[in-house]
Amino acid sequence: AVEAAAEAEAARQKAEAAAAAAEAAELEASAARLQAAERGRIGRAEAARRLRAKEEAEAAAAETAVGAYQAAAAAREAAAAEEAAAVAAVGRGECTTGSTATVATSPPLSTSTSSVGFGSASSLPAKSDDAVPPPAALAGLEQVAGLTALVDRLPEAAQQKALAWCSENEVHEVGLIAAAGIADAFVAALGIKPTGVPALLLRQRLKRD
């Protein structure tokens, strides 16, 4: 009887030790799961931070490029206005400040039988801007609302790609491109430089639309 009691006590102690070991193993497994979850959370937060930094850098670069383009456009407009004012002044005869002999011996600017002087503004040579017209809008762009105004200044090949992309992706108005968050995919499909001014302006116009 004494031996049986001793064996029972030994078996009970072994069972308690096994239960304690199992509990310790479960605690270690729980701690490992918590550590893995924390590492995953930190990794996602870091990835999100890097993505935000990249987007902010791209936005700043786009704003800088657009600002430079707008400044250049303003300078071109100012130069064009000055040229137009000079042409108008010539047309009114304001530049004929010399003697009548000087005016008479000056070579005519046109073959028309206009009055003595520099003649009207229409007799002057055409401006260089008129010699190189912008690319014509591709036929069929009107099938997608707003697409003509969006890409009419791009080369014809890019216009064709824009129309094909809209047809393939079932886009019937350009506002859907920004709404779906696929402006970058649209610009990439046109075959133009992704970081060039035309591409940056396209993204800006898509955001406004």
Side-chain angles (χ1 to χ4, degrees):
V2 174
E3 291 179 356
E7 290 177 357
E9 179 64 19
R12 183 183 65 79
Q13 290 178 355
K14 288 182 179 179
E16 289 178 352
E23 184 177 357
E26 177 62 25
L27 290 174
E28 290 180 358
S30 298
R33 288 194 296 269
L34 289 174
Q35 290 177 354
E38 181 64 14
R39 286 195 297 269
R41 185 189 65 80
I42 293 174
R44 289 191 297 272
E46 179 64 16
R49 185 190 66 79
R50 291 180 180 178
L51 179 60
R52 285 195 300 270
K54 178 183 177 183
E55 291 176 347
E56 290 173 358
E58 290 178 349
E63 290 179 359
T64 301
V66 169
Y69 181 83
Q70 291 176 344
R76 289 194 297 270
E77 290 177 358
E82 291 179 359
E83 184 177 355
V87 171
V90 170
R92 292 194 300 270
E94 294 177 359
C95 293
T96 56
T97 56
S99 63
T100 55
T102 301
V103 173
T105 56
S106 299
L109 296 178
S110 68
T111 56
S112 61
T113 57
S114 58
S115 58
V116 176
F118 286 92
S120 63
S122 61
S123 63
L124 296 174
K127 295 192 296 182
S128 59
D129 291 344
D130 297 333
V132 183
L138 181 71
L141 293 178
E142 68 279 358
Q143 299 173 10
V144 180
L147 187 59
T148 300
L150 183 65
V151 302
D152 61 351
R153 293 277 177 175
L154 296 178
E156 183 176 345
Q159 296 182 26
Q160 292 175 345
K161 292 178 180 178
L163 182 59
W165 187 91
C166 289
S167 176
E168 180 181 353
N169 292 277
E170 300 181 353
V171 174
H172 57 81
E173 60 174 311
V174 296
L176 297 176
I177 299 174
I182 52 177
D184 288 339
F186 171 74
V187 174
L190 304 186
I192 60 179
K193 186 177 181 180
T195 58
V197 170
L200 294 174
L201 289 176
L202 276 180
R203 293 189 184 94
Q204 292 290 328
R205 295 174 68 180
L206 284 169
K207 289 180 181 179
R208 288 197 302 269
D209 294 338

